[in-house]
Amino acid sequence: MKAILMSDCGSPEVLQLADIDTPKISHEHQVLVRLKAAGINPIDTKLRSNGTYYPDLMPTVLGCDGAGVIEAVGDAVTDFKPGDEVYYCRGGIGGPQGNYAEYSVVDARYIAHKPQSLDFTHAAAAPLVLITAWESLFDRARIKAGQKVLIHAGAGGVGHVAIQLAKSTGCEVITTVGSEEKAGFVKALGADTVINYKSQDVVQATLDWSGGEGADVVFDTVGGPVFEQSFAATRPYGHVVSLLQHNANTDWKVARLRNLSTSHELMLSPMFFNWHQAEKHQADILTQCASLFDAGKLKIELADTRPLAQAAEAHRRIEQGGMVGKLALEIA
């Protein structure tokens, strides 16, 4: 089968189209998926540049997100059958084969039926950002109707999904963007107030919006100084959840004075540590999100799609920054 092989870490040129063996089912819970599309995420570019979680297992195939059609199932698989259309986030961190390929074998317990309303490219772009936003807002911050939520970088892959999930829960949402184009995009998603972080003071704008209190929940998808800045934008006893590891020199004084709670989200941890119940929970998230897609309450924005052979060019596009939404590779 055709696949994009990464034989070493480095620039996008290390991603090369190659012929490799088609994987086979080796466990009773596995399914063989004929991939139609693969999502591309910033984590893919970081693994390519810096090395994977399993540096001794090279060459490897990247790509955590996939969508396709089941061609065969293991003996213990009862919820899926050949011909079913599925989407999932599994593989692609250097261990099990990723989804920049024509076929993949995945554990059926960690996949979900594809939303009927999405084509394969949109479905493939969705899983990692859906799970990340869901776990951050619901599992970590435990948002509820009526709360005020600040979402940093609302036009990004995770951010634009987070806005929709928060709004569907009945929250008021304020979000940051860097251009008028992105401001229009997030308003169309339902954001109540938009801050242009290039021309406005994010903390002051959030305080003005919230009557001086601050947001009940702040979702940091950017990291660095934005994480520390978020403390002053959060109401006393509020919550800040971040996707990034904080700097060693982070000043926690404001967070302590305001009695804030903080948490971190890395949706890849269950795959790396083989936390099976957590992986099943992530598949359940995708099932619930499929219902939201099909009910018209959720959508995924695709900035661009590329054929499988242009994976390297897609990585370059992500690394340029400033993108609205997601990228995907079309495989068949």
Side-chain angles (χ1 to χ4, degrees):
M1 70 171 182
K2 298 292 185 183
I4 298 294
L5 271 187
M6 171 184 161
S7 56
D8 197 1
C9 58
S11 66
E13 283 70 29
V14 303
L15 302 177
Q16 295 291 325
L17 186 67
D19 287 301
I20 64 173
D21 292 338
T22 301
K24 293 179 172 55
I25 291 174
S26 60
H27 189 280
E28 61 182 0
H29 288 288
Q30 292 177 336
V31 299
L32 174 66
V33 178
R34 174 70 165 96
L35 284 156
K36 298 291 188 179
I40 303 181
N41 295 286
I43 184 62
D44 300 357
T45 66
K46 294 175 183 177
L47 294 172
R48 188 213 73 230
S49 296
N50 304 320
T52 72
Y53 284 80
Y54 304 87
D56 296 333
L57 300 179
M58 296 286 282
T60 191
V61 177
L62 297 178
C64 301
D65 284 338
V69 180
I70 292 178
E71 289 214 344
V73 301
D75 293 339
V77 177
T78 58
D79 293 334
F80 299 92
K81 64 184 184 304
D84 283 352
E85 299 178 349
V86 296
Y87 75 144
Y88 57 89
C89 182
R90 181 69 178 167
I93 61 173
Q97 179 201 300
N99 298 293
Y100 294 2
E102 292 181 323
Y103 289 90
S104 184
V105 167
V106 290
D107 193 308
R109 293 170 292 188
Y110 312 141
I111 67 178
H113 290 281
K114 181 181 76 67
Q116 295 180 4
S117 57
L118 295 188
D119 59 27
F120 285 106
T121 50
H122 282 80
L128 187 146
V129 295
L130 289 175
I131 295 168
T132 297
W134 186 289
E135 289 187 341
S136 297
L137 295 176
F138 299 123
D139 298 346
R140 308 288 172 266
R142 301 186 182 280
I143 63 169
K144 57 187 177 181
Q147 288 187 316
K148 295 182 180 294
V149 179
L150 165 60
I151 297 170
H152 288 287
V158 174
H160 89 286
V161 171
I163 290 171
Q164 298 172 76
L165 291 177
K167 289 300 297 181
S168 70
T169 306
C171 297
E172 293 181 62
V173 173
I174 189 171
T175 189
T176 64
V177 298
S179 70
E180 286 303 312
E181 175 194 2
K182 291 180 178 180
F185 172 64
V186 298
K187 286 178 181 177
L189 295 175
D192 297 287
T193 302
V194 182
I195 305 169
N196 188 323
Y197 68 86
K198 294 182 178 179
S199 59
Q200 295 176 267
D201 183 311
V202 174
V203 172
Q204 189 59 53
T206 303
L207 293 175
D208 292 344
W209 171 71
S210 59
E213 284 288 300
D216 297 289
V217 170
V218 176
F219 185 17
D220 165 31
T221 69
V222 180
V226 171
F227 176 65
E228 187 176 321
Q229 178 191 58
S230 296
F231 301 155
T234 310
R235 71 161 176 81
Y237 301 96
H239 189 91
V240 179
V241 56
S242 180
L243 303 183
L244 289 304
Q245 182 172 317
H246 61 77
N247 296 327
N249 61 351
T250 297
D251 186 347
W252 294 90
K253 182 177 181 180
V254 173
R256 181 170 180 267
L257 286 172
R258 296 175 77 83
N259 282 287
L260 304 183
S261 60
T262 63
S263 61
H264 293 86
E265 163 66 19
L266 179 60
M267 64 79 57
L268 296 175
S269 295
M271 188 193 331
F272 178 72
F273 290 109
N274 291 314
W275 295 337
H276 301 300
Q277 284 302 114
E279 288 188 284
K280 181 63 173 68
H281 172 60
Q282 292 181 341
D284 292 339
I285 290 172
L286 295 181
T287 297
Q288 293 180 73
C289 287
S291 297
L292 292 175
F293 279 119
D294 290 340
K297 297 180 179 179
L298 187 60
K299 68 177 184 177
I300 196 84
E301 181 73 13
L302 266 182
D304 195 9
T305 60
R306 301 291 175 92
L308 179 64
Q310 293 182 15
E313 182 58 34
H315 274 227
R316 292 188 194 94
R317 176 68 183 86
I318 285 184
E319 290 175 326
Q320 289 173 1
M323 194 171 62
V324 173
K326 292 292 305 297
L327 280 178
L329 296 174
E330 296 178 314
I331 299 173

